[in-house]
Amino acid sequence: MIYKKFVRPLLFLKDAEETHEQTLSLLSWLGFFEAALEALFRVEDSRLEVSLGPLSFANPVGLAAGFDKNGKAIAVWPGFGFGFMEIGAVTAQPQPGQPKPRLFRLPGDQALINRLGFNNEGAEAIAAKLEALRANGGPLKIPLGINIGRTKVVATKDAAADYLFTFEKLFPYGDYFTLNVSSPNTPELRDLQQRDHLDTLLAVVQTKNRELAARRGGKEKPVFVKVAPDMDFAQLDEIIEVAESRQAAGIVATNATAFLREKLLTKIDEPGGLSGEPIKALSTAFVRHIYIATKGRLPIIGVGGVFTAEDAYDKIKAGASAVQILTGFVYEGPAAVKRINQGLVELMDRDGAKNIRDVVGSQA
Ligand SMILES: Cc1cc2nc3c(=O)[nH]c(=O)nc-3n(C[C@H](O)[C@H](O)[C@H](O)COP(=O)(O)O)c2cc1C
């Protein structure tokens, strides 16, 4: 309430990206207060625990990729009650992204349009930051996912080597990795969703995964594939097949859409990825399709338009083992994750579900 009535109107007065960067800088300093934030925002309830293959999360609500691209506020995210966090997209080379303005709010539609274009500090700088964090603070409080994108100047034919560079650099630090082949803002990136390209990419990453695990005497890291909502189910089926045959850990569904503008109330003509409320149903349909096609074998992280506990519950009932939020966090504010987790417990009580794992795919 306080956020929506008093804080959000002030934050929304300024340019969207400027506000975002200032908020992140402030949050990076809040690391000291993480424990105090936890007391305010974390919901501890064993019924919320989920697992996706080898990964275990204390609750199913994660921070989606793109909010903290450079891992600036990693120490703070557990304080807001997240069960896991995904940083990035990280690319092999540092890059500035597209010209500004490139992030737009659509409050009338509870949506954002972004065409940031993978602005980030690059794999080496982010690896150094994660190394320093580890040296200072030991293990992170919640699992860390790292979203990997393709450097803009690298051609599709050289994409695999580019992803591999980032994967290798960041291998020691991520609890899981997501191959982002679905951002609408890097030219030809989505070509990597085509069967042959994706198969090559996953093959080389998984080979490196095994090699690095053996060299370090540890386990392979779970590797997810993140898909766009802008394809038909026949193409999605091809991705599912490749993901299963290359032992991907699961699918993150979905990224923002390059289309769907006809649904908007806001008059805006800006290219980029549309996220938030307008993509909610579409991304849930993708989750449901993947769950049914794989008979629940392949873990799914559902993302797109989650604002409330009901939204998260719908994605979980459709087959997601966990969800992520980004636009919902911008609109709902710091208590968003707490409200979702509390609401999930209430919905489970209402439905007589013993734990959230039993809800996964219950209405697929
Ligand atoms: C500002 C912004 C930046 C994003 N950057 C990334 C990114 O770097 N990598 C990625 O996989 N997805 C990125 N996304 C997509 C989100 O992770 C998410 O898939 C999408 O926004 C749908 O979720 P939402 O409706 O909760 O925002 C970005 C989204 C926004 C709004």
Side-chain angles (χ1 to χ4, degrees):
M1 261 307 137
I2 297 178
Y3 175 79
K4 277 197 196 168
K5 268 215 162 107
F6 302 108
V7 181
R8 193 173 79 182
L10 290 177
L11 291 179
F12 278 20
L13 283 177
K14 285 209 288 190
D15 169 73
E17 187 173 353
E18 208 181 309
T19 310
H20 179 72
E21 285 306 321
Q22 286 170 357
T23 309
L24 265 186
S25 295
L26 177 73
L27 289 179
S28 67
W29 289 101
L30 280 181
F32 301 114
F33 300 105
E34 195 274 333
L37 288 172
E38 268 193 37
L40 274 177
F41 296 125
R42 267 199 98 73
V43 178
E44 299 292 347
D45 191 318
S46 60
R47 286 174 293 174
L48 290 169
E49 286 167 14
V50 290
S51 51
L52 286 80
L55 295 165
S56 300
F57 305 150
N59 71 66
V61 187
L63 179 71
F67 198 84
D68 189 3
K69 287 185 185 270
N70 295 308
K72 222 170 163 179
I74 284 178
V76 187
W77 299 123
F80 288 103
F82 287 104
F84 63 110
M85 54 189 161
E86 189 168 317
I87 63 164
V90 181
T91 55
Q93 303 172 31
Q95 55 182 27
Q98 310 230 65
K100 294 179 185 175
R102 52 192 183 178
L103 178 59
F104 306 89
R105 300 185 198 98
L106 290 62
D109 291 289
Q110 298 274 289
L112 297 171
I113 290 178
N114 93 84
R115 52 167 181 272
L116 297 176
F118 293 164
N119 52 315
N120 79 108
E121 293 165 2
E124 279 177 322
I126 293 172
K129 188 181 299 183
L130 293 173
E131 178 62 35
L133 205 68
R134 188 153 80 172
N136 288 335
L140 302 170
K141 283 191 169 171
I142 56 175
L144 174 69
I146 300 178
N147 184 282
I148 305 182
R150 197 203 75 207
T151 307
K152 186 178 177 189
V153 296
V154 168
T156 305
K157 67 175 177 42
D158 303 322
D162 193 67
Y163 279 83
L164 217 49
F165 179 87
T166 307
F167 181 67
E168 186 161 8
K169 279 277 168 246
L170 295 172
F171 185 88
Y173 311 108
D175 294 296
Y176 75 88
F177 290 84
T178 301
L179 302 180
N180 177 7
V181 286
S182 50
S183 163
N185 301 313
T186 293
E188 290 156 34
L189 183 82
R190 288 176 166 200
D191 290 354
L192 295 172
Q193 295 183 128
Q194 288 162 16
R195 182 199 287 267
D196 292 351
H197 287 315
L198 185 63
D199 190 55
T200 307
L201 177 61
L202 262 175
V204 296
V205 169
Q206 294 292 46
T207 304
K208 181 62 77 180
N209 199 0
R210 283 188 284 277
E211 185 189 312
L212 291 171
R215 202 189 299 163
R216 298 166 57 87
K219 291 208 172 91
E220 290 161 31
K221 299 284 170 103
V223 174
F224 289 78
V225 176
K226 185 163 178 179
V227 297
D230 304 331
M231 63 178 87
D232 56 28
F233 285 158
Q235 197 189 344
L236 183 58
D237 286 338
E238 291 188 359
I239 293 176
I240 294 168
E241 252 179 72
V242 174
E244 285 210 287
S245 74
R246 294 290 175 193
Q247 279 116 44
I251 294 189
V252 183
T254 66
N255 214 311
T257 177
F259 306 116
L260 276 192
R261 301 302 203 263
E262 67 284 359
K263 280 186 82 174
L264 299 179
L265 302 172
T266 314
K267 290 212 178 328
I268 185 166
D269 185 18
E270 296 289 353
L274 172 69
S275 59
E277 181 69 33
I279 69 163
K280 177 162 41 192
L282 182 62
S283 87
T284 304
F286 270 57
V287 168
R288 181 168 282 113
H289 183 85
I290 299 164
Y291 187 85
I292 292 171
T294 61
K295 302 192 173 62
R297 283 186 308 267
L298 199 59
I300 304 163
I301 299 178
V303 49
V306 173
F307 288 72
T308 65
E310 282 78 10
D311 298 338
Y313 204 57
D314 281 349
K315 283 199 168 30
I316 294 168
K317 284 191 295 187
S321 293
V323 299
Q324 292 176 324
I325 68 169
L326 197 162
T327 307
F329 194 61
V330 171
Y331 280 97
E332 297 293 310
V337 181
K338 177 185 186 173
R339 282 202 289 267
I340 293 173
N341 277 320
Q342 282 176 334
L344 284 174
V345 172
E346 284 165 25
L347 289 165
M348 284 191 282
D349 282 344
R350 184 196 69 187
D351 294 348
K354 281 203 303 293
N355 58 58
I356 200 77
R357 286 187 299 273
D358 292 348
V359 180
V360 176
S362 59
Q363 281 182 21

